[in-house]
Amino acid sequence: MKKKYFLNANILDPHNSLDEFGGLIINELGKIEAVGKKVNKNNIPSREKYIDLKEKHIFPGLVDMRVFVGEPGYEYKENFRTLSNAALSGGVTSVVTMPNTNPIIDNVSIVDFLKRRGRDKSKINIFPTASLTKNLEGTNMTEFGLLQKKGIIGFTDGLKTIQNTRLMSRIMNSAQDLDSLIIQHAEDYELSKDGMVNDGIISTKLGLQGIPDVAEKIIIERDLALLEEYRCRYHISQISSAKSVLTIKEKKQSLKFSCGVSINNLSLNENDIGDFRTFLKLSPPLRTEEDRLALVDGLNEKAINVIVSDHKPEDEEQKRLTFAGAATGSSGIETLLSLSLELFHNGSIKLNTIIEALTSNPAKILKINKGNLNIGNDADFCIVDINKPWIVKKENLLSKSKNTSIENKKLQGKVTNTFVNGEELYKI
Amino acid sequence: MAIKSDKAVRISQKHLLGIQDLSISDVNYILSEANQFIKLNRSKNKKLDTLRGKTQINLFFEPSTRTQSSFELAGKRLGADVMSMNIVNSAIKKGETLIDTAMTLNAMHPDLIVIRHPDSGACNLLSQKVNCALINAGDGRREHPTQALLDALTIIEKKGKVQGLRIAICGDILHSRVARSNIYLLNMLGAEVNLVAPTNLMPKDVERFGVNKFYDMKKGLKDCDIVMMLRLQNERMNSSFLSSNREYYEYYGLTPDKLNSAKNDALIMHPGPMNRGIEIDTNLADDINKSVIREQVELGVAVRMACLKIFCE
């Protein structure tokens, strides 16, 4: 590989508190050789060709902590190859995959298969999670220790929540012993039973069963009460309501844990569901505008650490149904960064906070050396024109499934190039 | 009759999916047309040829007796060819999706499809896929527009108007499409609407539709001109919405004592089928001076004839 020189870029790397105008050099091994203002036209060899980025931005490659891939079992929704292409076009170079596949990622033998497929078919870094409980049944723990040794990054039941409090306490104990990361999707099943949308004016108007916000809060409060007793690495997958933000703010003063939010809940509210748009049937559901603003505030106040795409590809057959019959989730890895930038452009959140929540914070929680522009590290990064306007069109999406929650939305800011290990794998 | 016959002779919507989509002139148009059918339905020769050569398909995904027969009769009296399909035990049970069923039926070139479905929004989904007019005969908890229209017509028959009346809707509001359609329609026509229900059966934030909420039935019925009772479904008892039938009857059943809070000439309505002794005292239900439950059924046919005629045009 030839050395590559990028000049005249706005470089933002929250991990290294780097926010300056300068350049980036990739060495022959695809590692970062130098970065920052000291890299300029005057101190690179004059015979070398360089790429003038004309004030575009360089961000570390995004780390997306909540991604559903269809392999194994649902390849018709998304496979590693299509996921990679979709991710790269959105500047995402590392993903944490959910274990809700068929078969479920709950034992060592399936992890080998997953790692092999991920390595052979994927161009991005795949960090698989395994399920917390066997067969996602919420009754028996999986082998955290053995799974971790095979390369499992964390444990979660993905779409499901551990309802049994005693089991949760034992999970936390084991996680403490083994230094495992526990990721919880917070939802009390009795309160959310048959629910499809936020419990409020929209559920009343559309005649759909509501999910009260307290269904989320009650699990968070329970888990945090347990965490006081059983200290482990605990992460709340994604929250949706003002009440949850408040609880988390309070508890963070005395407890160590982390929390994520889906870009959908951060950018949209329940009114966007309109006339039964099943692509906006999400879990957790979109809630009120007040809830959305509280989530934005939570990110600004560091109560929320991570923004995820909650990328859940579903084919048309799962969505061309009545609202009650349709699957939850939306495809969003390609639009994660651009939609996040909307919050910067409209003055809600600082650019540094957004990029931190998309790069260094998830890497820190996962304990991986990604999401940064460290010298000597793999050159995983994206080049972004943060002002470029574009419109989300279903037919232009690279994901195998087209269930975007923001069809026809006008966005500002687009990834123009994405590099993994110093190799340009996406170019607009 | 106080129904204004607006000059608007066209309806603003292609389909009748819900009262929410209708304008006041749409409503007046439907009610004035329906009004003309009342007399016809009471005469000896009830057959017209307005819809001769037209095909009407009744697509019922939920068991129904009165609504389905009412639509069937309405279509036949207007001279349409009516086909009723009960999907409760048909292909859709074998895995065919709603959209595929709709496409299949659409290929037979019907002029009208009347649909009832247990899922809210089912008719909205279907309306995007068919060429003919679609009439919602009840979708989940969302809307049951022809029921609300026939209720309004009944009120106008008996009281001369809706404007300015105080109307109580009592019972299981949460699960009721009849309640939702009536809230929209009665509000539109200028009534004051009181909702009476235990909190477990009251939809969240419903006051934002411009109605008053009451948990005490006597207070909710105070000075009301109309008391509209809703059916309480038995399964509500099993899921702890309520503790028992007898407690419900004690607090929310319509009894002569509670009815005393309403105006002396207050009328009792019920969309049927009734649970006597649970939501309504059996003697009150049969009191011909107070109960207009049978008129509701009668005018239901007229309203459905009007809807079929108007939306078929």
Side-chain angles (χ1 to χ4, degrees):
Chain A
M1 191 187 290
K2 269 188 74 178
K3 261 193 177 186
K4 293 189 189 82
Y5 299 85
F6 301 90
L7 298 183
N8 302 326
N10 286 297
I11 297 174
L12 186 58
D13 175 16
H15 179 79
N16 290 305
S17 306
L18 198 66
D19 183 1
E20 57 196 33
F21 191 76
L24 179 100
I25 305 174
I26 308 173
N27 69 15
E28 292 87 344
L29 300 169
K31 310 282 181 195
I32 294 172
E33 186 171 294
V35 62
K37 61 185 171 205
K38 54 197 177 292
V39 182
N40 58 48
K41 210 178 164 186
N42 300 327
N43 55 16
I44 62 167
S46 55
R47 62 191 149 72
E48 294 285 356
K49 270 196 202 151
Y50 64 87
I51 298 155
D52 183 356
L53 291 182
K54 295 177 182 156
E55 300 186 12
K56 278 197 259 187
H57 278 72
I58 289 181
F59 301 139
L62 272 46
V63 181
D64 189 347
M65 271 186 79
R66 190 173 169 84
V67 170
F68 293 85
V69 61
E71 271 193 75
Y74 307 106
E75 288 83 358
Y76 58 94
K77 294 182 184 176
E78 188 93 284
N79 59 37
F80 280 115
R81 190 180 53 79
T82 55
L83 174 70
S84 297
N85 292 336
L88 288 165
S89 77
V92 178
T93 56
S94 300
V95 299
V96 175
T97 57
M98 294 294 111
N100 309 65
T101 48
N102 185 17
I104 289 152
I105 314 301
D106 64 355
N107 66 76
V108 175
S109 58
I110 188 87
V111 179
D112 281 332
F113 165 82
L114 196 66
K115 295 287 279 185
R116 210 165 46 242
R117 288 291 294 177
R119 190 189 59 222
D120 296 348
K121 297 289 169 189
S122 157
K123 301 174 215 161
I124 56 172
N125 306 298
I126 305 281
F127 295 99
T129 58
S131 62
L132 282 165
T133 61
K134 287 179 186 142
N135 208 24
L136 298 171
E137 279 166 358
T139 43
N140 296 307
M141 255 185 275
T142 53
E143 301 156 313
F144 293 177
L146 297 178
L147 286 161
Q148 244 165 231
K149 279 191 178 168
K150 282 283 177 188
I152 289 295
I153 189 108
F155 299 87
T156 177
D157 275 358
L159 299 166
K160 297 176 99 181
T161 309
I162 304 296
Q163 300 291 314
N164 182 326
T165 310
R166 187 173 68 171
L167 175 67
M168 194 61 204
S169 69
R170 296 195 169 155
I171 284 174
M172 285 181 163
N173 264 336
S174 301
Q176 191 181 15
D177 295 344
L178 297 162
D179 192 33
S180 310
L181 174 66
I182 303 302
I183 304 174
Q184 178 82 287
H185 164 82
E187 175 184 336
D188 182 281
Y189 287 173
E190 292 300 326
L191 287 174
S192 70
K193 197 173 172 204
D194 302 326
M196 295 169 246
V197 293
N198 181 42
D199 194 26
I201 186 74
I202 296 296
S203 66
T204 296
K205 180 167 172 268
L206 297 180
L208 298 172
Q209 178 73 37
I211 303 174
D213 50 8
V214 71
E216 180 175 280
K217 182 182 156 170
I218 213 161
I219 294 292
I220 293 174
E221 286 193 333
R222 180 203 69 177
D223 283 3
L224 295 180
L226 290 172
L227 191 66
E228 281 177 26
E229 310 297 320
Y230 317 101
R231 308 272 173 146
C232 69
R233 290 166 65 204
Y234 175 76
H235 177 76
I236 304 159
S237 185
Q238 81 281 44
I239 61 167
S240 63
S241 74
K243 281 183 185 150
S244 302
V245 175
L246 196 64
T247 302
I248 286 164
K249 268 187 192 170
E250 278 171 22
K251 291 286 181 181
K252 277 216 166 172
Q253 296 179 9
S254 56
L255 273 174
K256 198 168 167 257
F257 63 96
S258 54
C259 175
V261 64
S262 156
I263 187 61
N264 291 315
N265 294 93
L266 210 50
S267 304
L268 307 169
N269 68 32
E270 57 178 355
N271 294 317
D272 291 303
I273 294 165
D275 201 7
F276 298 96
R277 293 177 59 205
T278 56
F279 285 12
L280 284 102
K281 182 178 178 185
L282 304 172
S283 173
L286 297 174
R287 298 197 190 271
T288 64
E289 178 62 7
E290 289 74 40
D291 287 308
R292 190 189 73 80
L293 292 171
L295 293 170
V296 168
D297 175 61
L299 205 64
N300 282 323
E301 305 271 319
K302 318 282 178 201
I304 298 171
N305 313 88
V306 174
I307 306 173
V308 297
S309 68
D310 195 15
H311 178 72
K312 189 162 178 284
E314 290 292 348
D315 60 333
E316 287 222 342
E317 303 316 315
Q318 299 300 319
K319 286 289 188 181
R320 269 166 42 116
L321 298 168
T322 60
F323 207 86
T328 59
S330 74
S331 166
I333 200 163
E334 295 167 67
T335 49
L336 171 63
L337 179 61
S338 296
L339 193 50
S340 299
L341 287 174
E342 186 184 54
L343 296 160
F344 159 68
H345 289 301
N346 67 23
S348 306
I349 309 177
K350 277 194 246 155
L351 187 59
N352 191 72
T353 307
I354 291 171
I355 301 305
E356 193 176 31
L358 291 169
T359 59
S360 56
N361 280 355
K364 206 160 91 188
I365 292 162
L366 296 163
K367 294 191 176 176
I368 55 174
N369 186 18
K370 292 285 171 195
N372 61 53
L373 299 176
N374 290 354
I375 308 289
N377 206 357
D378 299 337
D380 294 357
F381 66 96
C382 55
I383 299 170
V384 184
D385 179 347
I386 66 165
N387 294 315
K388 187 183 170 64
W390 65 291
I391 299 172
V392 181
K393 289 279 174 201
K394 233 173 11 188
E395 58 271 23
N396 297 337
L397 295 179
L398 298 176
S399 169
K400 207 163 188 176
S401 296
K402 313 294 180 193
N403 55 316
T404 170
S405 59
I406 50 167
E407 166 84 350
N408 292 327
K409 193 175 174 77
K410 296 187 175 91
L411 294 175
Q412 192 180 349
K414 179 82 189 76
V415 173
T416 58
N417 314 70
T418 305
F419 291 76
V420 178
N421 291 322
E423 216 178 314
E424 184 177 51
L425 296 180
Y426 171 78
K427 193 174 177 223
I428 202 165
Chain B
M1 278 298 301
I3 298 171
K4 279 172 270 164
S5 178
D6 280 25
K7 282 285 174 277
V9 282
R10 283 189 71 85
I11 201 93
S12 70
Q13 301 290 314
K14 183 178 180 213
H15 309 287
L16 178 58
L17 303 180
I19 301 294
Q20 283 180 93
D21 307 324
L22 299 181
S23 67
I24 183 97
S25 67
D26 290 335
V27 168
N28 285 329
Y29 179 32
I30 295 169
L31 291 177
S32 70
E33 282 287 325
N35 197 32
Q36 294 173 29
F37 289 123
I38 299 175
K39 212 183 276 171
L40 176 86
N41 284 337
R42 287 174 184 161
S43 66
K44 270 194 176 149
N45 185 3
K46 302 178 179 69
K47 189 95 173 174
L48 291 178
D49 60 1
T50 318
L51 296 184
R52 192 166 63 194
K54 307 281 187 189
T55 308
Q56 171 193 340
I57 299 178
N58 296 338
L59 197 55
F60 277 64
F61 293 88
E62 245 183 15
S64 156
T65 317
R66 66 190 65 210
T67 306
Q68 189 173 351
S69 49
S70 183
F71 268 110
E72 195 166 330
L73 208 53
K76 284 178 173 162
R77 284 192 182 161
L78 291 171
D81 297 318
V82 185
M83 180 173 79
S84 286
M85 295 177 66
N86 282 304
I87 315 284
V88 184
N89 40 20
S90 147
I92 201 111
K93 284 271 165 192
K94 296 171 197 153
E96 189 178 69
T97 67
L98 181 59
I99 288 179
D100 287 337
T101 307
M103 302 290 236
T104 307
L105 293 176
N106 197 44
M108 299 176 191
H109 301 294
D111 301 283
L112 284 157
I113 294 179
V114 177
I115 178 178
R116 166 169 289 192
H117 198 281
D119 289 349
S120 302
C123 54
N124 304 59
L125 178 68
L126 216 58
S127 71
Q128 299 159 13
K129 307 289 168 188
V130 296
N131 300 325
C132 67
L134 204 64
I135 297 195
N136 182 10
D139 64 322
R141 306 174 181 181
R142 196 185 68 103
E143 282 238 34
H144 191 354
T146 56
Q147 178 70 42
L149 288 162
L150 75 87
D151 288 343
L153 189 66
T154 309
I155 294 169
I156 293 166
E157 270 269 298
K158 294 290 175 183
K159 296 281 185 187
K161 59 173 185 167
V162 174
Q163 174 91 38
L165 297 185
R166 185 180 287 181
I167 300 173
I169 305 176
C170 312
D172 185 359
I173 317 263
L174 178 66
H175 299 96
S176 175
R177 52 193 173 217
V178 176
R180 282 175 178 74
S181 286
N182 263 311
I183 291 169
Y184 303 134
L185 186 60
L186 297 172
N187 259 341
M188 194 196 295
L189 295 174
E192 182 186 350
V193 179
N194 288 355
L195 301 183
V196 182
T199 308
N200 274 333
L201 295 177
M202 190 74 91
K204 190 122 182 262
D205 295 340
V206 71
E207 65 278 7
R208 286 170 64 183
F209 290 140
V211 295
N212 310 309
K213 287 204 287 195
F214 292 92
Y215 308 107
D216 180 326
M217 192 155 178
K218 280 188 180 169
K219 285 183 189 157
L221 259 49
K222 194 165 174 359
D223 297 330
C224 278
D225 300 280
I226 307 283
V227 179
M228 209 178 263
M229 300 304 298
L230 299 172
R231 175 181 166 76
L232 184 76
Q233 276 161 351
N234 288 329
E235 60 259 33
R236 305 296 168 232
M237 296 299 162
N238 306 329
S239 38
S240 275
F241 281 103
L242 301 164
S243 50
S244 72
N245 281 341
R246 64 178 183 190
E247 185 170 279
Y248 184 78
Y249 184 69
E250 175 71 24
Y251 286 88
Y252 296 99
L254 187 64
T255 55
D257 174 46
K258 291 184 198 117
L259 190 61
N260 276 338
S261 326
K263 283 192 183 153
N264 285 333
D265 61 349
L267 297 176
I268 302 167
M269 302 177 78
H270 194 299
M274 279 183 284
N275 293 305
R276 291 166 184 267
I278 297 175
E279 72 246 2
I280 189 163
D281 175 86
T282 189
N283 292 326
L284 276 183
D286 296 331
D287 185 340
I288 51 164
N289 295 317
K290 291 187 159 66
S291 164
V292 292
I293 297 169
R294 253 165 282 173
E295 281 86 342
Q296 287 175 273
V297 178
E298 185 198 351
L299 300 196
V301 180
V303 159
R304 280 155 191 144
M305 287 169 79
C307 291
L308 293 172
K309 182 185 165 208
I310 290 169
F311 283 91
C312 198
E313 275 164 5

